[in-house]
Amino acid sequence: MECAKNYQLLVTTDGKAAFILPAQTTPPGKKTEIIYNGGNSALLYRSTGDVLVLDNLHPKAQELLKTKQSVVIIETDYNTRQTIYDYQTTIHFHE
């Protein structure tokens, strides 16, 4: 498990949300999910053994994770500004 560095959350005017984070070295699995318990961090399960901590969540991101059922994850190469992986993931909120 490692902390995601330099990630961002974008929310569109119609309420859709996407986390943008640096691309990992391996592709995500077929079933991805975010586990969130209401605190200032969440766990992104990219695959069974590949977990990223989304730490220091902004209060607006915390509210979003409590109310949304899914978000888009965009993994990008920040140097070339190219998207490497993009996928929709479910959110499981357990207070």
Side-chain angles (χ1 to χ4, degrees), residues 36-52:
Y36 181 61
N37 68 0
N40 70 347
S41 63
L43 300 176
L44 168 59
Y45 285 81
R46 295 180 73 249
S47 64
T48 304
D50 190 1
V51 182
L52 288 175

Side-chain angles (χ1 to χ4, degrees), residues 22-94:
Q24 301 301 297
T25 56
T26 59
K30 293 185 182 196
K31 183 181 179 203
T32 62
E33 62 184 344
I34 291 177
I35 305 295
Y36 181 61
N37 68 0
N40 70 347
S41 63
L43 300 176
L44 168 59
Y45 285 81
R46 295 180 73 249
S47 64
T48 304
D50 190 1
V51 182
L52 288 175
V53 178
L54 302 172
D55 206 7
N56 299 315
L57 290 167
H58 187 278
K60 288 185 180 181
Q62 293 176 30
E63 285 303 314
L64 181 132
L65 290 172
K66 290 178 185 176
T67 59
K68 295 288 184 188
Q69 294 182 349
S70 66
V71 293
V72 172
I73 305 293
I74 301 170
E75 296 187 28
T76 186
D77 180 328
Y78 281 11
N79 293 324
T80 63
R81 298 182 180 183
Q82 291 186 326
T83 298
I84 307 300
Y85 307 114
D86 64 286
Y87 48 96
Q88 188 157 344
T89 189
T90 56
I91 299 169
H92 298 282
F93 173 60
H94 304 283

